[in-house]
Amino acid sequence: MPNTYTRDRPSPRYERLLRLYRQIHVEGESFRGLSPEHVFPGKSLPPQAPHIKRLIGATGARDLLDYGSGKGQQYRYWPYRDAEGNAHPNLQAYFGVAVTCYDPGYEPFSRLPSERFDGVVCTDVLEHVPEEDVPWVLAELFAFARRFVFANVACFPAAKRLPNGQNAHCTVKPVAWWRREVQRAAARNPEVRYEIRLVERDAAGRAVEAVIEGGPAASKESD
């Protein structure tokens, strides 16, 4: 699919979905009876925190952009206990770096940053982006990063529904498709390390993870 869309000219579907996400952040999710404060609060990040902490240490990152952060509650309110049993008041304290939140669907964080960051993290976001807009969104992730990009992607439908009844995961693709798109974006930023963790479901419904890695000091790519 030709990359005909950009940040300044996204697809019509992207603009429609963005309006729906803004609506659900304000009104809640009627499909599952969720109040606004329980819609995209930031729960997708904590399971990925050890991977991000490792990348911070490996690259010497001092600041992060959370691209698609939701309401950002993970950085303010939720205590986090690491693998060694140490308690942290929130994930920003665990990471030990400055964090900037960006989410176009949540008004308080909707301003696009103008600066670059040592690390860019993007959890439970890319599968919500229309297929035709994935190339420019991935390019933007890498353009914001000085040292590393981390993302995770679910390769299966979501539990969440949008106000129009549509499944929240609008781009459900296999690992091979995501590998091609990620590597195309990464090729323009060879100085940036990346780690993309993708989860598929096998025939029994069990989660199967694949990891795509590249850039400086990345050790391997595994399926």
Side-chain angles (χ1 to χ4, degrees):
M1 177 180 297
N3 181 10
T4 58
Y5 297 108
T6 65
R7 155 65 60 182
D8 294 329
R9 193 172 68 86
S11 73
R13 187 159 64 128
Y14 179 95
E15 294 180 321
R16 288 195 300 271
L17 285 172
L18 183 54
R19 288 192 292 269
L20 291 173
Y21 280 107
R22 288 171 175 165
Q23 178 183 343
I24 200 173
H25 266 292
V26 172
E27 298 178 1
E29 186 194 346
S30 59
F31 180 75
R32 294 192 298 164
L34 296 178
S35 59
E37 61 268 24
H38 293 108
V39 174
F40 301 117
K43 287 185 176 179
S44 64
L45 188 65
Q48 307 301 327
H51 306 305
I52 296 167
K53 178 73 169 179
R54 171 174 44 77
L55 286 168
I56 291 170
T59 62
R62 293 175 294 180
D63 57 11
L64 296 180
L65 172 65
D66 188 327
Y67 187 110
S69 62
K71 293 183 170 70
Q73 295 178 6
Q74 64 273 33
Y75 299 116
R76 293 176 289 172
Y77 306 125
W78 300 341
Y80 180 79
R81 188 173 297 276
D82 63 28
E84 289 72 41
N86 302 310
H88 306 270
N90 51 51
L91 277 180
Q92 180 158 348
Y94 171 62
F95 290 152
V97 299
V99 178
T100 296
C101 291
Y102 167 68
D103 195 304
Y106 183 56
E107 195 279 331
F109 298 144
S110 62
R111 184 187 70 83
L112 186 70
S114 57
E115 67 271 30
R116 297 178 74 198
F117 302 83
D118 286 342
V120 175
V121 302
C122 182
T123 59
D124 189 21
V125 172
L126 291 170
E127 60 269 54
H128 296 261
V129 176
E131 177 181 348
E132 57 269 32
D133 295 275
V134 165
W136 72 258
V137 172
L138 280 171
E140 194 163 85
L141 294 182
F142 279 88
F144 273 124
R146 287 189 292 257
R147 302 187 185 184
F148 78 85
V149 169
F150 174 87
N152 76 314
V153 182
C155 303
F156 50 85
K160 285 187 176 67
R161 299 275 181 173
L162 298 178
N164 64 354
Q166 177 181 332
N167 193 276
H169 290 177
C170 67
T171 298
V172 177
K173 295 289 184 179
V175 169
W177 186 91
W178 284 106
R179 179 187 293 111
R180 183 177 66 250
E181 295 298 322
V182 167
Q183 292 178 341
R184 183 178 294 137
R188 295 189 288 269
N189 300 269
E191 77 284 1
V192 176
R193 179 172 176 173
Y194 61 90
E195 181 175 320
I196 315 297
R197 307 185 79 88
L198 303 104
V199 179
E200 294 182 301
R201 301 288 190 192
D202 66 13
R206 294 171 298 209
V208 179
E209 186 175 63
V211 182
I212 304 170
E213 296 179 292
S219 59
K220 61 183 175 58
E221 179 181 318
S222 59
D223 289 333

